[in-house]
Amino acid sequence: MNKTAHNAARATRGPAGLGADFAPLDIHAQIERTGIRGRHLTFIDDLSGDELSNLFKTAHMFEPFWRSRVPLLEGKVLCALFFQPSSRTRFSHETAMLRLGGSVLTESNPLVSSSAAKGESLHDALRVISQYADIMVLRHPDDKEVLATIDGLGADASPIISGGYGDVTHPTQGLLDMYTAWRALGGSFEDMCVMIATPDLSRARSGQSFGLGLARMGVRLIYCGTTGLRTPEVIRKKLDKMGANYVEHNDLTLDQHEQMIADEGVQLVYLPGCSVKKGDPGRDDFLKKMQAYHFNLEGLEKLKQKTGRTIGIMHSLPRNEGEFDFAIDDSPHQLYFKQIGFSVPLRMALLASIAGT
Ligand code: CP
């Protein structure tokens, strides 16, 4: 660049580029800014827009360390108490805690090997574990029981992060999905449009948490489901209360989904997956309906030609054969394995912000 061009560029940037908050990066100050120390996390909308933004900035600062170690929680203990099976949620909280220099207690089969097997109440279990652990992550099938129990705990209870309660909430999944979307689309939620598509929105707790968090940031949402299996009322009330920008469609064909993606400027399609467990009498029907959501690589490539956009496909995993075209795995549309990587710095940020000193 010659001197005249350089001066012109400098004049354009000007002193307006400098803000009062201009300073070297400081991870401790950023964790403080998140402002959620000591809090339980039950629903993703327990967090304000500012808290979410600060959490993602904190996660970004942890990203260089997600494969190494930054011992900000040395001496702290995390208890992972899982009343339902899990790979990702439990392992990634545990990985995050270990990367932060803390220690982990795990109970992944409490109805067999903890005192829950002897009839101990959830209330008593959580009060007891609070004497050992500085922070907990809990997965439980009964959201109503958990919410009532947490409400009745005293101030001496350690903070409890939901690792998924019932069919309605899985906030850390929503947070890691939001963080992935934020990173994938350039560190902003502005003008973002996301489609959440599954035959069963009534049991899609990861998709519901993602949607609720995105709504909090003003993202435009398109829910696609099937008649009779709507988003639970508790979530719709929350969306309506925050004035969310969302629409719901039912029983669309794959062609109609693709047309909508093109017309509405959808950038990301989220497939919350099948929460209908093996042995559930509705599972076969669910998997049949899944065929209407069989997003495939060919369709995505056609959309790219038509719109110029590389549509990102997100999924909370685990996935079932037949849910979507696994050829997407090795294409630029695949975000679902990348979400796993982003989950670690996000959960490091969450644990450090809640349990840090
Ligand atoms: N996505 C998710 O919650 O996976 P796990 O059930 O393996 O934790």
Side-chain angles (χ1 to χ4, degrees):
M1 190 187 288
N2 66 35
K3 199 169 173 195
T4 312
H6 175 78
N7 285 343
R10 200 166 156 208
T12 311
R13 277 200 310 277
L18 285 180
D21 57 354
F22 176 66
L25 292 175
D26 181 342
I27 202 162
H28 296 280
Q30 182 53 42
I31 289 168
E32 283 298 316
R33 222 170 276 133
T34 304
I36 56 171
R37 181 173 306 141
R39 277 170 43 185
H40 300 307
L41 177 62
T42 302
F43 283 98
I44 200 166
D45 65 328
D46 294 345
L47 302 173
S48 67
D50 279 350
E51 287 165 347
L52 288 168
S53 292
N54 275 311
L55 186 66
F56 300 139
K57 286 180 193 160
T58 308
H60 202 193
M61 290 177 80
F62 274 114
E63 247 185 62
F65 305 103
W66 75 283
R67 289 281 200 191
S68 56
R69 203 166 175 272
V70 53
L72 298 186
L73 290 186
E74 199 124 50
K76 300 274 182 180
V77 175
L78 165 78
C79 175
L81 180 61
F82 277 63
F83 285 83
Q84 288 178 301
S86 167
S87 296
R88 281 146 287 271
T89 310
R90 186 164 66 80
F91 286 154
S92 74
H93 277 95
E94 292 175 359
T95 303
M97 192 59 172
L98 296 171
R99 298 285 190 214
L100 288 164
S103 308
V104 171
L105 302 171
T106 286
E107 175 52 83
S108 60
N109 200 3
L111 292 175
V112 171
S113 53
S114 83
S115 282
K118 295 184 275 184
E120 184 167 51
S121 68
L122 185 61
H123 173 272
D124 286 3
L126 297 177
R127 285 198 72 164
V128 168
I129 293 168
S130 292
Q131 303 293 314
Y132 307 129
D134 302 284
I135 185 163
M136 286 179 252
V137 55
L138 170 68
R139 174 170 285 189
H140 198 280
D142 188 338
D143 50 287
K144 291 188 181 64
E145 183 186 350
V146 176
L147 300 192
T149 303
I150 290 176
D151 263 358
L153 289 175
D156 60 344
S158 296
I160 302 168
I161 295 173
S162 166
Y165 300 154
D167 292 328
V168 297
T169 185
H170 192 352
T172 67
Q173 179 72 45
L175 289 171
L176 79 88
D177 294 334
M178 285 181 78
Y179 182 58
T180 307
W182 183 79
R183 289 281 284 105
L185 299 181
S188 168
F189 291 104
E190 213 174 316
D191 299 326
M192 199 184 278
C193 181
V194 176
M195 173 182 279
I196 298 175
T198 170
D200 189 355
L201 285 167
S202 71
R203 282 181 280 196
R205 67 185 180 188
S206 55
Q208 298 304 351
S209 292
F210 185 41
L212 213 48
L214 291 174
R216 174 70 95 208
M217 305 310 279
V219 171
R220 203 152 49 89
L221 295 168
I222 301 173
Y223 290 92
C224 294
T226 52
T227 302
L229 297 170
R230 279 187 89 184
T231 292
E233 195 184 356
V234 60
I235 305 293
R236 275 185 283 126
K237 277 188 177 161
K238 283 172 175 288
L239 289 168
D240 292 337
K241 197 169 162 198
M242 68 171 80
N245 183 355
Y246 76 104
V247 290
E248 293 177 281
H249 296 281
N250 283 336
D251 310 317
L252 300 184
T253 63
L254 182 60
D255 282 351
Q256 288 170 321
H257 279 96
E258 288 176 349
Q259 192 61 49
M260 191 166 290
I261 290 169
D263 293 348
E264 298 292 334
V266 171
Q267 295 138 312
L268 301 170
V269 175
Y270 191 87
L271 308 172
C274 177
S275 52
V276 187
K277 303 285 175 290
K278 281 184 182 159
D280 186 306
R283 188 176 162 93
D284 285 348
D285 188 41
F286 180 94
L287 292 174
K288 210 166 124 204
K289 284 182 183 153
M290 263 301 177
Q291 288 164 12
Y293 296 81
H294 198 270
F295 287 95
N296 56 65
L297 187 55
E298 195 187 336
L300 292 170
E301 283 171 347
K302 280 188 188 147
L303 277 168
K304 164 89 181 172
Q305 281 168 7
K306 192 165 158 185
T307 65
R309 294 195 307 276
T310 302
I311 313 297
I313 298 294
M314 303 180 72
H315 192 295
S316 48
L317 301 179
R319 61 183 174 177
N320 294 277
E321 196 66 49
E323 279 190 51
F324 61 93
D325 181 5
F326 291 180
I328 296 168
D329 288 9
D330 299 316
S331 79
H333 304 280
Q334 181 270 110
L335 287 174
Y336 32 93
F337 291 122
K338 292 181 183 162
Q339 285 163 244
I340 309 296
F342 286 111
S343 76
V344 177
L346 182 281
R347 284 174 170 139
M348 288 170 80
L350 191 64
L351 294 176
S353 299
I354 295 179
T357 51

